[in-house]
Amino acid sequence: MSLSRLIFPALLASTLVTPAMSAGTESFSPAQRSEIETIVKSYLIAHPEVIEEVITELSNRQADDDAKKHEATLTDKADAIFKSPKDAVLGNKDGDVTMVEFFDYNCGYCKRAMRDMLTLLETDPKLKVVLKEFPVLGSGSIEAAQVAVAVHMQDPTGKKYLEFHQNLLGARGASDKARAIAAAKDAGLDLVKLQKDMTSPEVMAVLKENIKLAESLGMNGTPSYVVGKHIIGGAVGLEELKEKISQSRCGKDSC
């Protein structure tokens, strides 16, 4: 890197931070500051790629900071993420790897991702799957999620929940309260109890906790997953999920 490429970013930094200094500690006179600002401006106009480099570096540092925060959340909130009794649990309850899926019943990608989840349950007897309602796509999604949490309250074994889940998530069209209750009816749930439970403070507390957890993990869409120490955004497909499960199982990036 040339000397000028080192000097001018330093001058730029000095120019930016100087106004924050308290009175009596400024390093430059007004005339000197004006001259520095002119030099920096001219340099940046001649070398705009420097701005891109700075932005890239800032972005990388922010990504590193975010990754550390998310890793801390995985440790601090491990029980809420992996072991909450409020969530539906499928597969091996004592599995050696847990895959947590945050989903929305109106998410088209979640509908396709459900096939991946079912395949994993069928082919991996050591896998534990935790499903977390994460309604981010409007009022219909919230209504469907309320019904889903109420279904789980009525069916802690997860058997009827899974049937309900497949009925609703696998159906065409938008999901809302009416469609969710119809799916619950088909799965054999007690509709009187369901109607009562779905508007209870307990149900709303579950949804609020899920949303808060998702945000603290940096999730901004569905589906999103946690597999061991891996946070995965998007419907990445069966093979990618298998790879992360394998890595979590063996404790290394390559197994």
Side-chain angles (χ1 to χ4, degrees), residues 156-187:
T157 66
K159 293 180 180 179
K160 289 184 178 180
Y161 178 93
L162 179 57
E163 183 179 348
F164 160 83
H165 182 75
Q166 290 180 263
N167 288 344
L168 186 57
L169 192 56
R172 293 185 178 181
S175 295
D176 56 14
K177 177 182 176 181
R179 282 178 173 265
I181 289 177
K185 181 180 179 181
D186 290 342

Side-chain angles (χ1 to χ4, degrees), residues 17-28 33:
V17 301
T18 298
M21 293 181 177
S22 60
T25 63
E26 290 193 6
S27 301
F28 305 108
R33 284 177 54 78

Side-chain angles (χ1 to χ4, degrees), residues 78-98:
D79 285 348
I81 296 169
F82 298 106
K83 300 178 182 179
S84 174
K86 303 170 186 176
D87 297 323
V89 177
L90 307 176
N92 189 334
K93 304 292 192 293
D94 301 312
D96 61 349
V97 174
T98 300

Side-chain angles (χ1 to χ4, degrees), residues 39-51:
I39 293 171
V40 170
K41 181 179 180 180
S42 298
Y43 178 80
L44 292 178
I45 291 173
H47 303 280
E49 67 275 7
V50 172
I51 297 176

Side-chain angles (χ1 to χ4, degrees), residues 94-111:
D94 301 312
D96 61 349
V97 174
T98 300
M99 182 180 82
V100 182
E101 180 180 352
F102 290 75
F103 69 94
D104 185 305
Y105 280 109
N106 280 310
C107 165
Y109 292 106
C110 297
K111 293 178 184 293

